[in-house]
Amino acid sequence: MELTDQHQRTHRSLRISIVDKCDLRCTYCMPEEQQFLHRSKLMTREEVRTLATLFVERYGITKVRLTGGEPLVRPDVVDIVRDMAALPVKLGLSTNGTRLHLFLDQLVAAGLKHLNISLDTFAADRFKKLSRREGHAQVMANIEAAIAKGLHVKVNMVVMRGVNEDELLRFVELTRERNVHVRFIEFMPFAGNHWGRGQVYTYAEMLGRIGSAHAIEKLDDDPHGTAKTYRVKGWKGTFAVISTVTEPFCGGCDRLRLTAEGKMRNCLFAREETDLLTALRRGDDLSELIVANVRAKHKMLGGLPPFQPDTQQEVLHGLSERPMVAIGG
Ligand code: SAM
Ligand code: SF4
């Protein structure tokens, strides 16, 4: 296969989903009737370590983020964090925060420094509607506990029109006195989440709303990052927008992904996957598989067409069959 710039780009960041289960059922991420994998299909702790080590030592990965499903429902999550912290990488973990109080001290002792916590609303009844479960007060308390513990905390909010965009400024307030980093994520289409372009509260709208309330300044972005970062002048924390839908950043993306059952994906929206775990269990050499997967990366959005203002999920025929919960955000 001929190499293009896209193929030659070095991928530095690996997202590893360590479980496909979750204790919440967020409407934008997981269908209520989701089937989960049998435990024997998941990567074991040792297999996660073997694959991550290979990516770090041979393919230049310098950042690892553990995700899911909900990583904190996996009983050996602290051991996995300890294994990853022993690698020469910047290590992060994404969580919904419901179970963080059970693990916070152990995670920090195991070497975790960067935590992304999802929170879409300050209202308990809205949380219940959005996540189809209880737990709001615990998540709120756990965010404060993580900040107090000295972790680098990002709070991720999926912003949806008619659902929670009215809380945008309240989220920005989090950054006034706290060194916390709020990230507003445009609502993205995945299998079974009933996405429509009209429900996307856009980057431009977010910036307009925040800019009309506060004096904001643009900060430098990581050229390979996904977020466009800002600060309210004089405030301690920052806020950022992940504009996958209205301003995709595919050109700079340096991410690769492993699903909980060890399938490699070169894009969040990829339709093709490479089964590394079966090959590993057979004792095969993985290099050709990994290189071919990277080479097959599409230039934009995993080969999906740009999300035009009138696009509905039904017309996105190329969409992966996986819901977000089984990909790992
Ligand atoms: N359970 C963990 C959590 O909620 O943070 C980790 C997995 S979750 C799939 C990772 C991130 O993906 C979360 O921040 C979540 O809000 C985000 N996410 C899920 N579905 C999304 C969608 N349709 N559009 C945008 N972001 C989404
Ligand atoms: Fe679970 Fe996170 Fe998906 Fe919500 S966003 S259903 S917490 S994996």
Side-chain angles (χ1 to χ4, degrees):
M1 191 183 304
E2 202 173 311
L3 287 178
T4 66
D5 286 352
Q6 188 77 2
H7 301 136
Q8 284 169 333
R9 183 195 313 152
T10 309
H11 289 79
R12 299 252 177 247
S13 170
L14 180 66
R15 300 266 164 137
I16 307 178
S17 171
I18 57 171
V19 63
D20 64 331
K21 288 195 183 64
C22 188
D23 54 343
L24 299 183
R25 297 278 185 283
C26 302
T27 53
Y28 50 76
C29 176
M30 189 198 304
E32 179 72 83
E33 300 306 323
Q34 178 69 13
Q35 298 287 318
F36 298 115
L37 294 166
H38 186 267
R39 218 175 141 194
S40 63
K41 303 248 188 225
L42 298 182
M43 293 184 286
T44 62
R45 170 189 172 188
E46 288 70 30
E47 286 164 343
V48 171
R49 185 173 50 203
T50 302
L51 288 173
T53 305
L54 178 69
F55 274 94
V56 170
E57 289 182 349
R58 267 214 238 146
Y59 299 103
I61 290 295
T62 55
K63 284 190 201 173
V64 169
R65 173 164 294 279
L66 298 174
T67 180
E70 172 47 43
L72 300 188
V73 304
R74 182 156 167 157
D76 55 357
V77 59
V78 174
D79 294 327
I80 295 176
V81 165
R82 195 175 302 110
D83 291 344
M84 296 300 107
L87 296 172
V89 294
K90 180 176 166 189
L91 174 64
L93 181 138
S94 296
T95 174
N96 63 28
T98 56
R99 295 163 60 82
L100 194 54
H101 53 294
L102 304 173
F103 294 102
L104 188 56
D105 292 344
Q106 298 172 64
L107 289 170
V108 171
L112 187 71
K113 295 190 173 62
H114 300 267
L115 201 56
N116 283 11
I117 309 179
S118 295
L119 180 74
D120 303 312
T121 178
F122 286 96
D125 54 342
R126 209 175 250 189
F127 178 93
K128 192 173 170 187
K129 217 167 147 192
L130 265 172
S131 67
R132 303 179 179 123
R133 294 293 184 271
E134 303 284 350
H136 185 253
Q138 190 66 66
V139 175
M140 299 290 292
N142 286 347
I143 291 175
E144 294 300 340
I147 296 169
K149 192 88 188 161
L151 282 163
H152 182 271
V153 174
K154 289 182 184 165
V155 174
N156 285 349
M157 175 197 194
V158 180
V159 190
M160 289 163 285
R161 187 184 310 286
V163 175
N164 62 351
E165 86 273 25
D166 56 335
E167 295 191 59
L168 210 64
L169 292 176
R170 180 113 190 252
F171 274 82
V172 175
E173 273 301 321
L174 277 177
T175 69
R176 188 190 285 265
E177 302 288 349
R178 299 175 184 79
N179 186 22
V180 65
H181 308 279
V182 175
R183 306 203 316 171
F184 300 116
I185 310 176
E186 287 182 344
F187 177 33
M188 296 182 264
F190 294 103
N193 76 355
H194 308 292
W195 181 89
R197 175 67 170 72
Q199 292 151 273
V200 179
Y201 196 71
T202 67
Y203 172 32
E205 288 173 301
M206 295 185 210
L207 220 53
R209 191 166 194 141
I210 300 167
S212 64
H214 300 293
I216 59 178
E217 58 186 335
K218 179 83 192 72
L219 303 177
D220 290 340
D221 294 317
D222 170 356
H224 301 292
T226 55
K228 294 161 176 96
T229 317
Y230 296 82
R231 183 197 302 277
V232 177
K233 285 186 182 161
W235 290 16
K236 258 191 167 171
T238 66
F239 70 92
V241 181
I242 300 181
S243 58
T244 317
V245 175
T246 63
E247 280 189 36
F249 32 76
C250 305
C253 169
D254 69 349
R255 291 182 180 181
L256 298 172
R257 291 167 197 276
L258 267 183
T259 68
E261 77 267 47
K263 300 219 168 117
M264 181 179 170
R265 296 171 65 88
N266 56 29
C267 175
L268 198 48
F269 297 109
R271 281 152 295 166
E272 300 84 19
E273 300 178 336
T274 303
D275 186 355
L276 295 187
L277 184 58
T278 302
L280 179 73
R281 286 182 179 174
R282 272 202 308 256
D284 295 351
D285 178 20
L286 302 183
S287 354
E288 269 191 35
L289 293 175
I290 292 174
V291 170
N293 182 289
V294 174
R295 283 183 167 187
K297 185 163 179 155
H298 286 269
K299 202 162 181 182
M300 259 185 82
L301 298 172
L304 286 178
F307 304 126
Q308 302 297 350
D310 58 353
T311 312
Q312 296 297 316
Q313 197 185 56
E314 298 72 59
V315 302
L316 294 173
H317 297 299
L319 213 54
S320 159
E321 282 169 19
R322 284 180 186 274
M324 176 62 138
V325 67
I327 298 172

